[in-house]
Every structure is written in C-alpha cells, then in structure tokens.
Amino acid sequence: SNCNVYGYRSHRHIPADVIHRPWRHHPGGRKVKRPMNLVGLVFGAMFGFVLAAGQLHDYDTIHATLRLESFYVFGLMGLAIGISAPLLWFLEKRQLATPYGGVLSLARSKIERHHIYGGALFGAGWSIAGTCPAPALAMLASGASYGAIAVVGLFIGLLVRDQQLERSNRLITEG
C-alpha cells in the first residue's frame, strides 16, 4: 500500500488538525490515551541519552563531520539505518499492529521538488546551527546554553511551516 500510517495517500488529503497535531489522533477518530505520552517520554529520554553518549549534541562533533574531518557521525547514522531499515521491513511484512490500533504501513513516495528544497533547507540549518531537533533538545538538557538558541529557532521554523500550510490549505479549498 502507498498509504501513510493514517491511511491517506498524500498530506493534501489529511485533515488540517491531524497535520498540525498528528500525535493526538487515531485513524479511527478517537483520541490517543495518555499512557502513550509516557511511553513517548521514556523513549525520547532514552534517545536523548544515546545522542549525548555519542557526543551528537556537541557542536564541534557535528561541524567536524560536516567539514569531512571525522566520519564518526556518518558511521553512527549508517549503523542506525542498517539496523532500523531491515527491522521496519520485517515488522511491516508481519503487519504489526501499532499502539494506535492500525497496521504498520510505511509511506513510500517519489522524490519531488519539495523534498529537495526541504533537504537543502534542513542541511543548511544543520550546518549553520551545528545541530538538528533531537540533539538541540539534548544540548538544552545537558545545560549547553547554545541549545536554547537552537530550540527557539526550531519553534520559529515550526510556526513558519504552520503558516505556510494554512496558506496552502486555503488556496486548495478556495481554488
């Protein structure tokens, strides 16, 4: 199936409230229970610990990687992909039921222009800031004041994205 986890083929068909806050919705329409928030918090904390243990929240580590002086981060990313891709493929083939009540179905899409622009924008932000969302939160949790600046920038980016989505949705409904 080419559908995403919500059963839609494209984000253009997903209701606006689900696009903005997908963690609050279940494919059947009911709200997700609070224990899932706790599970998310625990896994998020463990992920943050792994990032910090691997020094991926360190500005100098990221910049050394982006300057191609160190391949440590690329190796770690490759290891993560090498473990998760076959595992996700296996779980999808077994039609694993998700905690949200649906069947695991990974979205597959062709590379389009907006993917290239988004990737370039993300890469530019990553190289300038020396961090991306998860390591920025790990920076903040570890007491690095630079993390606060990066997190504020992340929220500004989310607000700009929401405004752009609202404009796009208005054009689609009006046009």
Side-chain angles (χ1 to χ4, degrees):
S1 167
N2 289 332
C3 296
N4 62 20
V5 294
Y6 299 107
Y8 297 94
R9 294 197 180 275
S10 160
H11 71 82
R12 292 182 183 102
H13 303 291
I14 301 174
D17 60 331
V18 175
I19 289 174
H20 293 292
R21 294 173 185 84
W23 57 87
R24 293 187 180 174
H25 294 271
H26 177 278
R30 68 178 199 267
K31 295 215 176 197
V32 177
K33 297 177 183 172
R34 290 265 182 223
M36 287 306 298
N37 291 339
L38 182 60
V39 170
L41 178 66
V42 169
F43 276 93
M46 291 185 333
F47 181 63
F49 176 78
V50 169
L51 290 175
Q55 295 294 312
L56 296 178
H57 69 305
D58 183 51
Y59 182 86
D60 294 328
T61 301
I62 300 301
H63 269 264
T65 299
L66 295 174
R67 288 190 311 261
L68 302 177
E69 294 172 357
S70 170
F71 294 96
Y72 167 74
V73 175
F74 293 129
L76 203 55
M77 288 179 179
L79 182 63
I81 292 168
I83 291 171
S84 63
L87 182 60
L88 285 169
W89 174 84
F90 174 75
L91 293 174
E92 185 179 37
K93 288 290 183 198
R94 299 223 14 169
Q95 296 186 335
L96 174 76
T98 69
Y100 298 105
V103 175
L104 179 65
S105 176
L106 303 174
R108 292 166 176 82
S109 63
K110 294 179 183 175
I111 296 175
E112 297 177 23
R113 185 179 300 171
H114 66 270
H115 296 127
I116 305 298
Y117 293 154
L121 183 61
F122 180 85
W126 193 31
S127 65
I128 292 167
T131 190
C132 58
L137 292 173
M139 276 181 181
L140 190 60
S142 71
S145 59
Y146 180 72
I149 296 167
V151 169
V152 168
L154 291 169
F155 280 106
I156 290 170
L158 289 171
L159 289 172
V160 170
R161 175 192 171 270
D162 284 350
Q163 290 173 352
Q164 188 274 331
L165 272 175
E166 287 175 18
R167 269 195 305 271
S168 295
N169 285 339
R170 258 185 300 188
L171 289 174
I172 290 170
T173 57
E174 292 172 1

